[in-house]
Amino acid sequence: MPPLLLHRPTLSTLTLALSTVLVATVSAAPADKPTTLESVNVTAADTTEQASAALKRVPGAGNVIDLARTDGRLAGTADVLAYQPGISAQSPGNEGAKVSIRGSGINRGPGAHASGISVSLDGLPLTGPGGTPYELLEPLWLSRAEVLRGANGFETGALALGGAINYVSRSGRDATGVELQYEAGSRGYQKRSVGYGGVAGDVDYYLAYTDTEYDGYQQHAAGDGKGAMANVGWQITPQLETRFFLRYRETNHQTPGRLTRAQIRNYPRAANPANLAIDAQRPQPGSTWLGNMTTLQIDDDSSLQAGLVYHHYPMDLNESLYRQQLDYTNLNATLDYRRQHLLFGRDSVTTLGLRVTHDLDADVRETLRYPSNGYPAGTHTRDFSHHGTNSTLHVGNDLALSDTLRLQTGLALINTRHDVQVTWPSTPERLSGSDWDYAPRLGFTWQQTPATQWFGNLSRSVEPAHPWSMIWGSNLYFAPGNGASSGRQRAPVVLDNQTATTLELGARGDSALGRWELTGYYAHVLHELLSVEVVPVPNLFVAENNASPTVHRGIEAGLDSTLWQGADGRLSLRQAYTFSDFRYRHDARFGSNRLPGLPRHYYQGELRFDHPTGFYAAVNTEYASAMFVDYANSFRADSHLIFGTRVGFDAPSGRWQAWAELRNLGDRHYAATVTPGYDDAGRDVARSTPGDGRGVYAGIRWRFN
């Protein structure tokens, strides 16, 4: 396929774009004070209602998930993102959930650093040049999650195909006093947590400690985690606030490996024999996250917000014949300016922002875990580094064309840098470079009636390849005669940025049926970054490459309905449905085949009764259609339909809460995730991780003011 020729913005283009927006902002500012508009950015102290109101001003689809009201098991990210249209989140039995929005990271294996979604903690970037680590996403530390699907994370500098997720920490302003929580259930699952929050004058604070342990559904799937967090805010003056965040967490889990369809049907609790033979596991000895967000209200119409994060997250991967000790350290920063003013005599908000994620360290030391080819365990095989820096400068304007119609325009410029090489044995084949790309955006919201809003946008997304993928999936090897390094990758390979042009149209509102949303999208993707398992465990080799043109299209629908309400209680039904059609566009080998790894149809629903005394009971279901496990579409994982139920009691005083739930009542055997192969020729290859079988869980929470 010939290379795609794109216009690359130069520094002069960047300067011109900035100058144009700033001049328009200043010259359009009138002598009279314009109408004050609420900011779309949401800080940790804001309520979920304010976050939901901010979402309605975005010309695209999103989700606000209130975790303070959750009344069931919160083992990990898959539980946090359940019952949300447009989001696929499945757990492989540990915390390394596979999360995909609109096909982002469609074939990334569970447990790997996630791709395709820009993830933030309290507005500060967690996603770095190497992807998104998962060990700091402890659900019990969160107040809510804000999801901007697709290109709708533009204003935060999030330009990935899947959009943005911002996890907001609990604070002393929304969680005062002492809180104790305990969860327990099947297969050794236990979670213990203690939190303490409050307000002292101009300072608010929240501190928490949580630990978890589990045996896992499969053999060789045990794991544990423990850590602490702090969120401290100081209102220095009425115009100046600063907030500090600290998270530290250690995790460790065994890796049971993937199974065939026949194994999942007949004995899904088995481990892959190759994983057992090498005692595959993934220790993460301790991740540290230290951040600050400072907000200055310059005047009634403008504000400036600056954020800085130091993130250190070493890993000790023992999931193949080689031990790979990674030392990751990121320094991430954000700077956002917002001004409310009049433009062409209309209310307007102009934003200017910068988002930078930078690898201070991304170095790997590789040794043999077992004797091989005459070399003893512990023999040094390679050292390599894969550093990157991603910088996004974005300018945008939100203009009120009328009382009901708003127009949003924007342009982002992206600079990506990478520096990848094998440093021992030393080779001259270093890959170092810098690249520019761009992402324009045009969107609208139309409030047709007080209860119905239409929205749409045409946007371009850009996702650079992770520097590590340039070497971990390289097909350039050390020749025989290089000692223990023979047969290992010696040099990186070039990968292009993945880009997509997406059209999105939708509506949301309230009606006799309840609160609803419906969105459709069509994305034309170039150079999609697709990975494939070339060699299985124990000598695992997963390669990532740029694909020929692909299409991602789908429908996302959500409906929360009150079926009956009276003096004796309320009966409600919440539903989320996602239709996904991801396929090649006339690929030379695979034609118009569907991309493997995600189901075409995915539905979750829950019917719930709430009694005024605080008692509640619910039944729920999940359906996923069959999904292909290879690019040749020669074999499928089975569809599944599972049911569950939950009962609980929320004390009217708010001081305590208890619940119990049963999951997968029918003990259905099914594949939760798929890591695809290239062409299995109709053979049943071990590509799937099983979903949990029947399980019973219970929990209790106490609050003391």
Side-chain angles (χ1 to χ4, degrees), residues 108 115 465-466 468-469 473 495 529-532 542-546:
R108 180 71 69 219
S115 300
H466 302 313
W468 60 262
S469 66
L495 293 173
L529 294 163
L530 297 178
S531 59
V532 59
V542 178
E544 185 164 89
N545 292 284
N546 292 115

Side-chain angles (χ1 to χ4, degrees), residues 59 406-409 441-445 456-458:
R406 301 191 69 89
L407 178 69
Q408 186 181 94
T409 56
R441 174 174 170 83
L442 178 66
F444 76 91
T445 59
N457 67 80
L458 180 63

Side-chain angles (χ1 to χ4, degrees), residues 69-73 570 572 606-619 645-651 656-661 699-701:
R69 299 178 182 176
T70 301
D71 42 29
R73 191 191 74 174
R570 175 176 179 262
S572 60
E606 182 178 71
L607 180 67
R608 172 169 169 151
F609 173 75
D610 288 90
H611 192 270
T613 60
F615 169 81
Y616 59 86
V619 293
T645 185
R646 183 168 70 255
V647 296
F649 181 77
D650 284 329
W656 67 278
Q657 175 192 67
W659 54 265
E661 65 177 319
I700 189 166
R701 180 186 297 171

Side-chain angles (χ1 to χ4, degrees), residues 18 87 230 243 403 486 532 581 597:
L18 283 173
I87 304 175
R243 187 167 292 276
D403 291 339
S486 300
V532 59
D581 185 18

Side-chain angles (χ1 to χ4, degrees), residues 129-130 327-330 357-364 384-390 416-421 423 430-433 465-468 470-471:
D327 192 14
Y328 265 118
T329 305
N330 291 158
T357 59
H358 173 66
D359 285 329
L360 293 175
D361 287 307
D363 303 313
V364 184
F384 53 99
S385 64
H386 37 72
H387 293 202
T389 301
N390 298 336
T416 58
R417 297 176 179 272
H418 55 266
D419 188 357
V420 189
Q421 83 175 125
T423 55
R430 178 178 181 180
L431 186 60
S432 181
H466 302 313
W468 60 262
M470 298 177 179
I471 195 165

